[in-house]
Amino acid sequence: MEPLLTFGGLDLSLVHIILLLAFALIGAMITLIFSSGRKDPESARQAAQLREKLLEMQAQQGELQGRLSQFAEDSAQRDTMFRQSLDERLSKVSERVGKSIVDTQERNSANLKQLHERLALIDRAQKNIETLSGEVSGLQSLLSNKQARGAFGEKQMQDLIETYLPPNAFSFQHTLSNGKRVDALIHLPGEQGDVAIDSKFPMEAWRRLTEADNTDQSTVAKRGFAADVTRHINDIASKYLIFGETHDIAMLFLPSEAVYAELHTHFPQVIEHGFTKKVMIVSPTTFMATLHTMRAVMRDAAMREQAHIIQSEVGKMSKDVTRLDERVAKLQNHFNQTTEDMRQIRISTEKISGRADKIESLELKERDSSTDNIAQFPKTNE
């Protein structure tokens, strides 16, 4: 048992204290008995009774001491079991806490890994955005310059033409009979003439239209935008529509789908003016479809031009087929004659074989008859 107090360097527990009190009480009683036993018999009797009581008390003290010892053992056993149970529980708790810490560390590691991956993706996206921003800035600086903007639209138009038409079907920067130079000229087959195409990009008017803040500014910007596009249409109609040299319709190429959509949505009068002047406005998408149509027309014209050659070749092929049929017929006759010759040869060989069989049978008969004649001759005595 655990000590309750310390006296003179000694650790005293509850059992020690009880035993000390019992011994002190017994010593006091013994002293009292010895001091009173010398007076009278009554005192002696009382002393005897007291001794019996003391003996009983000693017995009870022994029993109490045994119980205290048992209690101490039980208490020590319970302490041991409590310590074991506490150790087991602490071990389980420590194990759970350690597992929880490990799981938490693994989750944190996985989350940190995912975070690093996402940060890497964000870094790459940021770099792509920076690159795109630089390209957009370069495009804006390119489009802000009128000459560079014209070259941009012209290059886009040339790329589409080179992609969808054969090399001999177009020419760039062609000078017409009136001395005007057109951006592109598409050569249509036959007497249809060449289609003139000019690239225009009304960037300033379009920017003023998109940046208008109020109704008045928007009205002025719309009027300026329509006037700018109308001026381009008139210029193309006056420069590139030449009777007998170019096609009846010219094209105005807009290298922006947004500008083209804005024209067809909010400026139908400009589109109608283009139809009146025989100038067709095209965007990259509609121009690509137009080039497909022109290519089909060129292919059909080429097929018509080559029709007589095809007919001549078909006639020659027919003659070759007739000649081949005659030769096959001759070869068939040769095969038939060969078959007849083989049949005649078989007949001849069969006749020869039959005659050989007859000759062989005749020789056998002659041999047999000669043998019989020799047998009929009598023997003569010498």
Side-chain angles (χ1 to χ4, degrees), residues 153-172:
E154 185 178 344
K155 183 64 171 64
Q156 188 176 3
M157 178 191 64
Q158 291 178 359
D159 290 340
L160 290 173
I161 293 174
E162 290 175 348
T163 302
Y164 294 102
L165 293 182
N168 59 348
F170 59 87
S171 59
F172 297 137

Side-chain angles (χ1 to χ4, degrees), residues 351-370:
K351 289 180 179 180
I352 293 172
S353 298
R355 289 175 181 175
D357 292 338
K358 288 180 181 180
I359 294 172
E360 185 178 1
S361 63
L362 181 61
E363 291 179 353
L364 291 174
K365 287 181 181 180
E366 290 178 354
R367 189 181 296 113
D368 292 339
S369 61
S370 62

Side-chain angles (χ1 to χ4, degrees), residues 40-56:
D40 52 10
E42 183 64 23
S43 298
R45 185 178 59 79
Q46 292 178 355
Q49 292 179 355
L50 184 59
R51 282 195 294 273
E52 292 179 359
K53 295 290 185 180
L54 288 173
L55 292 175
E56 292 178 0

Side-chain angles (χ1 to χ4, degrees), residues 291-355:
L291 291 176
H292 275 289
T293 305
M294 290 181 175
R295 183 175 183 177
V297 171
M298 293 176 185
R299 186 184 297 111
D300 293 339
M303 291 294 292
R304 286 195 300 270
E305 289 178 359
Q306 301 297 325
H308 65 283
I309 299 176
I310 295 174
Q311 291 177 354
S312 177
E313 293 296 328
V314 170
K316 293 179 181 179
M317 186 183 299
S318 178
K319 292 180 180 179
D320 291 337
V321 171
T322 302
R323 191 178 296 108
L324 178 63
D325 184 66
E326 293 175 355
R327 291 175 180 176
V328 169
K330 292 180 180 180
L331 182 62
Q332 182 67 36
N333 293 330
H334 287 304
F335 277 125
N336 294 334
Q337 184 65 37
T338 303
T339 303
E340 180 65 20
D341 293 340
M342 292 296 294
R343 191 179 66 81
Q344 295 294 335
I345 292 171
R346 290 292 304 275
I347 293 173
S348 298
T349 54
E350 288 176 357
K351 289 180 179 180
I352 293 172
S353 298
R355 289 175 181 175

